[in-house]
Amino acid sequence: MFVLLIKNIVTKDRFDGIVFRYLNDSKSFLLTLVKTFSELFTVVIAKILNISILWICHNVDKESVENYPFLTQLRRFNLKINSDKIFVTDELLIDKCVAILDVPKDKVCAISFGKPDVVSESFNDQQMQKTKDKLNMIKE
């Protein structure tokens, strides 16, 4: 991403935002270190150029692959504090994301990669409440 950003600056191509997605580690420490610094530099340049930082946080609590937990935590912290928006994959994860990452609720929203739901809003609210009730029952 960092190389692409520099290329676009040189060619004067502008874009409005950068989307970060998976932050999984590599088995190689060197490669993970390069990813970490690349993300840090990308964020710094994006902030200087007023380019939005967006993070699709697939796993709210931790990344799927963490070979170097300190670097993973550093990468997540970088995006947590610098993202303009943090996206989770379901509305039910918004409150968990806010609690776990300790970010303002208005910074987090749900995003879907599937087809839009064509069911009425009230049905969605009812289904959401039923799902929450079931989850609470299972928890108890």
Side-chain angles (χ1 to χ4, degrees):
M1 181 57 71
F2 178 68
V3 173
L4 179 64
L5 181 60
I6 296 301
K7 177 184 169 259
N8 284 353
I9 290 169
V10 170
T11 60
K12 297 184 179 168
D13 290 335
R14 281 294 295 181
F15 47 92
D16 298 324
I18 298 173
V19 178
F20 288 88
R21 196 165 172 184
Y22 294 105
L23 301 179
N24 290 331
D25 279 356
S26 168
K27 288 185 180 180
S28 163
F29 177 76
L30 183 60
L31 184 56
T32 299
L33 195 60
V34 167
K35 285 180 182 180
T36 303
F37 281 108
S38 173
E39 290 164 0
L40 288 169
F41 291 140
T42 298
V43 166
V44 167
I45 291 172
K47 288 294 184 184
I48 291 169
L49 297 176
N50 201 26
I51 298 171
S52 293
I53 302 292
L54 309 169
W55 178 22
I56 301 172
C57 185
H58 287 276
N59 301 317
V60 173
D61 57 343
K62 64 180 224 142
E63 298 306 312
S64 299
V65 178
E66 290 186 350
N67 295 307
Y68 306 99
F70 174 76
L71 291 178
T72 300
Q73 289 170 7
L74 177 63
R75 293 168 72 200
R76 287 175 65 90
F77 180 76
N78 177 38
L79 291 180
K80 170 187 134 167
I81 63 171
N82 290 301
S83 292
D84 296 294
K85 280 290 184 187
I86 299 171
F87 299 104
V88 292
T89 55
D90 193 285
E91 287 184 38
L92 292 172
L93 294 173
I94 291 174
D95 290 336
K96 282 289 183 191
C97 183
V98 167
I100 289 171
L101 294 181
D102 190 27
V103 294
K105 191 168 186 169
D106 65 343
K107 189 173 185 171
V108 181
C109 58
I111 188 171
S112 172
F113 299 105
K115 67 179 186 174
D117 193 355
V118 295
V119 183
S120 73
E121 267 308 307
S122 62
F123 179 80
N124 285 338
D125 291 342
Q126 290 171 0
Q127 287 301 100
M128 178 80 74
Q129 189 57 49
K130 283 182 184 178
T131 303
K132 285 180 180 179
D133 292 345
K134 285 180 185 178
L135 287 171
N136 286 333
M137 189 174 70
I138 291 169
K139 212 188 302 186
E140 289 173 4

